[in-house]
Amino acid sequence: MGSTNENAVLKPFKIFVGYDSREDIAFQVCRHSLLKKSSIPLEIIPIKQSELREKGLYWREKNQYESTEFSFSRFLTPCLANYEGWAMFVDCDFLYLADIKELRDLIDDKYAVMCVQHDYAPKEATKMDGAVQTLYPRKNWSSMVLYNCGHPKNRALTPDIVNSQTGAFLHRFQWLQDAEIGSIPYVWNFLEGHNKVVDSDPSNFPKAIHYTRGGPWFEAWQNCEFADLWLKEKDDYLKEAKTATTN
């Protein structure tokens, strides 16, 4: 196991984070938690729909089922990485509790993508700030993905395809065969309110918490599970940001 590309160790690991203008603080805290825990250099790039539209990479009309501004633009990750090397996409509503190097070390070049293969059916009819909660196979698989951007199959993810294909085709990874999708332990996409910590098993504790129902940056989710960890990280981020502006 592991990447055969020795240069990958020297280059910053690219992480594309879904950005929603309504959730800027979620993006900032996610980014802060990644950088703070990482023992390897990272390049963290927000996927901003407005910028992609300006560059002519995204022109899709919004539909009623899109709960975030990056519902579909996330699939431009291989394109944005110039179809080279490995890169990660992650939703902004994540909090990292472990060194991302541990996850990067799980990379296996035989796969086109790697992700946590959840079997997940949310009970809530709505999420976040009242957005409709849709049900579909492979729900949440696309919320954090390691992309083998140089894999021939991922060249299918052109801007034309990302802007025209169905949500089912994209979110279910239908441009790939099942054998081309690698599996990652669920602790790297630990779904708040769904996955459970088993006290007797330390290996079960989340390495990345995904506030998929809604996080503490929304008033309705101030008391969700692990809210205290996110709020502490937010305080750390704000403290550092304030120090940086005063120096």
Side-chain angles (χ1 to χ4, degrees):
M1 189 176 287
S3 174
T4 57
N5 183 0
E6 293 179 3
N7 291 329
V9 178
L10 305 175
K11 292 180 181 177
F13 183 47
K14 287 187 176 181
I15 300 177
F16 293 88
V17 182
Y19 183 88
D20 194 302
S21 54
R22 300 164 299 174
E23 301 179 69
D24 177 75
I25 190 62
F27 164 76
Q28 299 295 351
V29 172
C30 176
R31 179 180 183 275
H32 185 264
S33 69
L34 277 163
L35 290 170
K36 189 169 81 171
K37 306 288 192 308
S38 182
S39 63
I40 57 173
L42 304 178
E43 183 182 357
I44 299 178
I45 306 115
I47 291 187
K48 294 187 176 182
Q49 188 183 124
S50 58
E51 292 179 0
L52 295 174
R53 288 187 183 279
E54 286 174 15
K55 292 175 182 175
L57 293 173
Y58 194 77
W59 56 87
R60 232 183 141 115
E61 287 187 19
K62 188 180 189 305
N63 71 43
Q64 61 180 326
Y65 300 111
E66 292 180 53
S67 59
T68 68
E69 293 173 14
F70 50 87
S71 291
F72 292 106
S73 57
R74 70 183 71 214
F75 297 103
L76 288 170
T77 293
C79 173
L80 296 172
N82 298 313
Y83 302 102
E84 295 174 353
W86 281 82
M88 186 171 95
F89 170 82
V90 65
D91 287 4
C92 64
D93 54 356
F94 271 66
L95 177 70
Y96 281 84
L97 305 177
D99 187 347
I100 200 68
K101 180 181 183 296
E102 294 178 35
L103 178 59
R104 195 205 61 179
D105 288 348
L106 299 178
I107 282 174
D108 191 328
D109 283 339
K110 74 180 181 183
Y111 296 115
V113 303
M114 299 180 73
C115 66
V116 176
Q117 299 182 7
H118 289 293
D119 181 11
Y120 173 60
K123 302 179 187 71
E124 299 81 10
T126 59
K127 64 175 182 176
M128 301 294 182
D129 51 350
V132 174
Q133 179 75 270
T134 53
L135 289 173
Y136 52 85
R138 297 184 172 177
K139 176 82 173 173
N140 266 311
W141 285 29
S142 63
S143 59
M144 192 198 77
V145 184
L146 291 166
Y147 282 96
N148 186 354
C149 301
H151 193 284
K153 284 291 191 75
N154 286 330
R155 288 198 170 271
L157 292 178
T158 61
D160 282 340
I161 290 295
V162 172
N163 281 282
S164 63
Q165 267 292 355
T166 63
F169 176 88
L170 294 167
H171 286 281
R172 298 178 199 173
F173 303 149
Q174 288 180 350
W175 70 95
L176 301 172
Q177 299 295 317
D178 288 357
E180 294 165 335
I181 305 171
S183 182
I184 291 169
Y186 77 95
V187 290
W188 286 105
N189 188 346
F190 191 100
L191 303 177
E192 181 276 330
H194 175 69
N195 294 129
K196 299 298 178 190
V197 174
V198 179
D199 292 335
S200 59
D201 183 5
S203 67
N204 174 266
F205 196 78
K207 293 178 183 289
I209 298 166
H210 184 188
Y211 299 89
T212 183
R213 301 185 302 167
W217 54 96
F218 290 124
E219 193 172 343
W221 296 97
Q222 291 281 313
N223 298 312
C224 67
E225 194 176 7
F226 304 112
D228 56 328
L229 297 181
W230 188 90
L231 292 167
K232 183 177 183 300
E233 194 75 28
K234 184 189 82 166
D235 289 344
D236 286 350
Y237 158 71
L238 292 173
K239 194 179 296 180
E240 285 187 21
K242 185 176 180 181
T243 301
T245 55
T246 55
N247 287 345

